Amino acid sequence: MRFEILPSLLAADLGSLGQEIVRASNSGADALHLDIMDAHFVPNLSFGPDVVSLAKKTAPAFSRNVHLMMTRPDLYIDKFVSAGADVLQIHVESDCDLHRELRRIRQAGIKNSIVINPATEVEELFAYLDEVDGVLVMTVNPGYGGQKFMPECLSKVKTLRKLKPRLDIMVDGGCNGETIPLAAQSGANQFVAGSYLFAQRDMARAVRDLRSKL
Ligand code: DX5
Ligand code: ZN
């Protein structure tokens, strides 16, 4: 399986967003993770399709992985597709017809993925595993960057890896040099890191360090 590192733009310096996107793109990371929060599904607001467009304009070759923490992602899928998302991730806890929306994302010509919160049982995902390009297992309660990694979420990664040896399995929240190896041992192959990577002066070196631990 290919290991991938994804910096989360939520932790970037918002005063220099364009430069931060360039910094992440030049770091050798595999894709940019963009966290969309609606102040309803999670108790926070972040940014919308315009920031996805900015990322596309600023670093066209740096793929955009868009994590929709929204109660009604179905109402925004078209907007994020038009803005330049390459992967759209929707939560199993969201309030929409998931089979339909997962299909719609693929029909738009991009990849889909399903996300699961720490409090949700892994069995909730089983009905969708043959319809997704990837799964994202949250290792914090979504809403904020800079939280502590929850190792108890890794049993879900193990279960999913046993069921699907070739599926992309991502972890998000609290990832750093200590926690990424644990997630990889459990079977994850994609790792989102926000506060850890953006806090580094030399992000390229930090990405190399993380890869060396995989
Ligand atoms: C949490 C977001 C994460 C967040 C990760 O709600 O989904 O992507 O940016 O940030 P860190 O790596 O700081 O935990
Ligand atoms: Zn995220």
Side-chain angles (χ1 to χ4, degrees), residues 8 11 145-147 174-175 193-200:
S8 166
Q147 302 183 78
C175 288
S195 47
Y196 176 74
L197 283 178
F198 277 95
Q200 311 286 330

Side-chain angles (χ1 to χ4, degrees), residues 102-201:
L102 288 167
R103 205 179 323 122
R104 199 149 73 90
I105 295 168
R106 277 187 171 173
Q107 280 166 352
I110 66 169
K111 287 188 178 175
N112 69 17
S113 171
I114 194 149
V115 192
I116 182 165
N117 277 340
T120 305
E121 299 293 333
V122 69
E123 288 76 14
E124 299 287 324
L125 294 181
F126 289 178
Y128 307 100
L129 291 182
D130 291 329
E131 301 163 29
V132 293
D133 300 303
V135 172
L136 168 53
V137 175
M138 292 306 298
T139 42
V140 297
N141 285 309
Y144 299 92
Q147 302 183 78
K148 202 169 166 294
F149 187 83
M150 298 167 70
E152 60 270 32
C153 300
L154 293 179
S155 60
K156 288 181 208 171
V157 175
K158 285 187 190 148
T159 304
L160 292 165
R161 180 52 76 214
K162 263 192 213 135
L163 288 170
K164 292 280 169 192
R166 305 184 58 82
L167 187 68
D168 277 327
I169 302 180
M170 184 180 291
V171 288
D172 182 12
C175 288
N176 57 39
E178 272 83 62
T179 55
I180 280 180
L182 303 176
Q185 279 157 24
S186 303
N189 67 301
Q190 296 174 318
F191 312 90
V192 175
S195 47
Y196 176 74
L197 283 178
F198 277 95
Q200 311 286 330
R201 281 187 62 179

